[in-house]
PDB file of all heavy atoms in Angstrom:
ATOM      1  N   VAL A   3      11.812  -8.414   5.235  1.00  0.00           N
ATOM      2  CA  VAL A   3      11.091  -7.263   4.688  1.00  0.00           C
ATOM      3  C   VAL A   3      11.810  -5.998   5.134  1.00  0.00           C
ATOM      4  O   VAL A   3      12.247  -5.889   6.281  1.00  0.00           O
ATOM      5  CB  VAL A   3       9.628  -7.235   5.207  1.00  0.00           C
ATOM      6  CG1 VAL A   3       8.910  -5.980   4.777  1.00  0.00           C
ATOM      7  CG2 VAL A   3       8.879  -8.468   4.741  1.00  0.00           C
ATOM      8  N   ILE A   4      11.934  -5.053   4.207  1.00  0.00           N
ATOM      9  CA  ILE A   4      12.470  -3.734   4.527  1.00  0.00           C
ATOM     10  C   ILE A   4      11.322  -2.737   4.411  1.00  0.00           C
ATOM     11  O   ILE A   4      10.635  -2.695   3.387  1.00  0.00           O
ATOM     12  CB  ILE A   4      13.609  -3.340   3.572  1.00  0.00           C
ATOM     13  CG1 ILE A   4      14.784  -4.295   3.733  1.00  0.00           C
ATOM     14  CG2 ILE A   4      14.049  -1.898   3.834  1.00  0.00           C
ATOM     15  CD1 ILE A   4      15.897  -4.071   2.730  1.00  0.00           C
ATOM     16  N   LEU A   5      11.142  -1.930   5.463  1.00  0.00           N
ATOM     17  CA  LEU A   5      10.123  -0.887   5.466  1.00  0.00           C
ATOM     18  C   LEU A   5      10.825   0.461   5.551  1.00  0.00           C
ATOM     19  O   LEU A   5      11.769   0.625   6.330  1.00  0.00           O
ATOM     20  CB  LEU A   5       9.181  -1.061   6.654  1.00  0.00           C
ATOM     21  CG  LEU A   5       8.405  -2.370   6.727  1.00  0.00           C
ATOM     22  CD1 LEU A   5       7.608  -2.443   8.028  1.00  0.00           C
ATOM     23  CD2 LEU A   5       7.493  -2.519   5.537  1.00  0.00           C
ATOM     24  N   ALA A  21       5.153  -3.283  10.986  1.00  0.00           N
ATOM     25  CA  ALA A  21       6.372  -3.999  11.386  1.00  0.00           C
ATOM     26  C   ALA A  21       6.085  -4.964  12.534  1.00  0.00           C
ATOM     27  O   ALA A  21       6.509  -6.127  12.493  1.00  0.00           O
ATOM     28  CB  ALA A  21       7.454  -3.002  11.792  1.00  0.00           C
ATOM     29  N   LEU A  24       4.174  -8.001  11.300  1.00  0.00           N
ATOM     30  CA  LEU A  24       5.041  -8.917  10.549  1.00  0.00           C
ATOM     31  C   LEU A  24       5.964  -9.687  11.484  1.00  0.00           C
ATOM     32  O   LEU A  24       6.186 -10.891  11.296  1.00  0.00           O
ATOM     33  CB  LEU A  24       5.857  -8.138   9.513  1.00  0.00           C
ATOM     34  CG  LEU A  24       5.059  -7.507   8.368  1.00  0.00           C
ATOM     35  CD1 LEU A  24       5.956  -6.593   7.534  1.00  0.00           C
ATOM     36  CD2 LEU A  24       4.407  -8.571   7.507  1.00  0.00           C
ATOM     37  N   ILE A  25       6.498  -9.022  12.492  1.00  0.00           N
ATOM     38  CA  ILE A  25       7.389  -9.674  13.449  1.00  0.00           C
ATOM     39  C   ILE A  25       6.650 -10.782  14.193  1.00  0.00           C
ATOM     40  O   ILE A  25       7.215 -11.855  14.437  1.00  0.00           O
ATOM     41  CB  ILE A  25       7.993  -8.632  14.413  1.00  0.00           C
ATOM     42  CG1 ILE A  25       8.983  -7.731  13.645  1.00  0.00           C
ATOM     43  CG2 ILE A  25       8.679  -9.305  15.592  1.00  0.00           C
ATOM     44  CD1 ILE A  25       9.405  -6.487  14.402  1.00  0.00           C
ATOM     45  N   ILE A  29       8.513 -12.849  10.648  1.00  0.00           N
ATOM     46  CA  ILE A  29       9.137 -12.237   9.482  1.00  0.00           C
ATOM     47  C   ILE A  29      10.164 -11.232   9.986  1.00  0.00           C
ATOM     48  O   ILE A  29       9.870 -10.426  10.868  1.00  0.00           O
ATOM     49  CB  ILE A  29       8.081 -11.559   8.587  1.00  0.00           C
ATOM     50  CG1 ILE A  29       7.121 -12.617   8.041  1.00  0.00           C
ATOM     51  CG2 ILE A  29       8.730 -10.760   7.469  1.00  0.00           C
ATOM     52  CD1 ILE A  29       5.928 -12.064   7.305  1.00  0.00           C
ATOM     53  N   ASN A  30      11.379 -11.312   9.448  1.00  0.00           N
ATOM     54  CA  ASN A  30      12.433 -10.369   9.818  1.00  0.00           C
ATOM     55  C   ASN A  30      12.158  -9.022   9.179  1.00  0.00           C
ATOM     56  O   ASN A  30      11.962  -8.939   7.965  1.00  0.00           O
ATOM     57  CB  ASN A  30      13.800 -10.875   9.370  1.00  0.00           C
ATOM     58  CG  ASN A  30      14.218 -12.142  10.094  1.00  0.00           C
ATOM     59  OD1 ASN A  30      13.944 -12.291  11.277  1.00  0.00           O
ATOM     60  ND2 ASN A  30      14.863 -13.039   9.393  1.00  0.00           N
ATOM     61  N   VAL A  31      12.169  -7.963   9.989  1.00  0.00           N
ATOM     62  CA  VAL A  31      11.842  -6.625   9.503  1.00  0.00           C
ATOM     63  C   VAL A  31      13.004  -5.678   9.790  1.00  0.00           C
ATOM     64  O   VAL A  31      13.515  -5.628  10.912  1.00  0.00           O
ATOM     65  CB  VAL A  31      10.561  -6.085  10.181  1.00  0.00           C
ATOM     66  CG1 VAL A  31      10.280  -4.655   9.754  1.00  0.00           C
ATOM     67  CG2 VAL A  31       9.371  -6.983   9.865  1.00  0.00           C
ATOM     68  N   LEU A  32      13.394  -4.932   8.770  1.00  0.00           N
ATOM     69  CA  LEU A  32      14.376  -3.865   8.902  1.00  0.00           C
ATOM     70  C   LEU A  32      13.674  -2.565   8.537  1.00  0.00           C
ATOM     71  O   LEU A  32      13.038  -2.468   7.485  1.00  0.00           O
ATOM     72  CB  LEU A  32      15.568  -4.085   7.965  1.00  0.00           C
ATOM     73  CG  LEU A  32      16.568  -2.936   7.857  1.00  0.00           C
ATOM     74  CD1 LEU A  32      17.254  -2.680   9.191  1.00  0.00           C
ATOM     75  CD2 LEU A  32      17.574  -3.206   6.764  1.00  0.00           C
ATOM     76  N   ILE A  33      13.788  -1.573   9.404  1.00  0.00           N
ATOM     77  CA  ILE A  33      13.174  -0.269   9.162  1.00  0.00           C
ATOM     78  C   ILE A  33      14.270   0.697   8.730  1.00  0.00           C
ATOM     79  O   ILE A  33      15.292   0.828   9.414  1.00  0.00           O
ATOM     80  CB  ILE A  33      12.451   0.240  10.417  1.00  0.00           C
ATOM     81  CG1 ILE A  33      11.332  -0.736  10.790  1.00  0.00           C
ATOM     82  CG2 ILE A  33      11.920   1.650  10.202  1.00  0.00           C
ATOM     83  CD1 ILE A  33      10.700  -0.484  12.132  1.00  0.00           C
ATOM     84  N   LEU A  51      14.657  -3.365  14.670  1.00  0.00           N
ATOM     85  CA  LEU A  51      15.865  -3.239  13.867  1.00  0.00           C
ATOM     86  C   LEU A  51      15.742  -2.025  12.948  1.00  0.00           C
ATOM     87  O   LEU A  51      14.804  -1.926  12.153  1.00  0.00           O
ATOM     88  CB  LEU A  51      16.080  -4.520  13.059  1.00  0.00           C
ATOM     89  CG  LEU A  51      17.379  -4.634  12.291  1.00  0.00           C
ATOM     90  CD1 LEU A  51      18.590  -4.505  13.226  1.00  0.00           C
ATOM     91  CD2 LEU A  51      17.433  -5.959  11.558  1.00  0.00           C
TER      92      LEU A  51
END
Side-chain angles (χ1 to χ4, degrees):
V3 174
I4 296 174
L5 300 175
L24 293 171
I25 291 167
I29 296 172
N30 294 323
V31 176
L32 171 64
I33 299 170
L51 187 58

